[in-house]
Every structure is written in C-alpha cells, then in structure tokens.
Amino acid sequence: GLPEVYADAPLFILQHPDKEPLKLAFGDPGIISLNSNGTRVIYRVNTECGSSGSPCFDRDWNAVALHHAGDPNFNPSHQPEYNEGIPLKAIVELLKARGKGEVLKG
C-alpha cells in the first residue's frame, strides 16, 4: 500500500515554479493535518507560484501527495499560513472507484 500521511511528519516538495529550475522545499515538521475524509493534506512547507502538481515526499522519499494549492488569502499584507496537497492514496481510491484502476498497473 501507499505510505500514510500524518501530522507533524516531515515533508519534501520538488517543484518547478513557473518553469524555473528545480527547487526543493521542505519542512520538519511539515504536515499540519489531514482532513477528515483523507482527501486533502495541509502543510506548512512553502512553495512558489506555479508549483501545483509538484510531488510531495515523506522522509524516506516515498511519494505521498501532489501539491494542489496555497493559502487562499491573497491579501498582500497576509503571510501565507499553509499549503494543501492531495494524498496519492485519495487519488488511487478515486481512480478505483471510477473503474479506472487499470491505469495503475505497470
């Protein structure tokens, strides 16, 4: 199975923000929480604009999520408080539920 995502775990994100060179963002602890139905992971690791879709890794470099969005408060005086990703486990479960599990083979 896929690695679990849990609060206070380290998180590493490899990003290509707006087609710039590859950058590593990390936090330890990085993960803040997982929502109640396991479809979103909230983390304090900062990413740059244009990094949506970047892979998120645990301490053992297992892919655990895809970066999805940043703090939705865009007020210029607001310091972003979190970022959000979609756990790979949720993506796999959705593909299976929609009868697309065959894309996971190979």
Side-chain angles (χ1 to χ4, degrees), residues 26-51:
F26 63 93
D28 186 7
I31 296 174
I32 298 170
S33 64
L34 189 65
N35 69 350
S36 61
N37 63 359
T39 60
R40 297 293 182 271
V41 59
I42 307 300
Y43 42 86
R44 57 183 61 86
V45 180
N46 289 326
T47 56
E48 295 183 27
C49 291
S51 294

Side-chain angles (χ1 to χ4, degrees), residues 15-23 48-49:
Q15 56 184 321
H16 275 289
D18 285 331
K19 302 176 189 169
E20 291 181 21
L22 182 67
K23 294 182 179 182
E48 295 183 27
C49 291

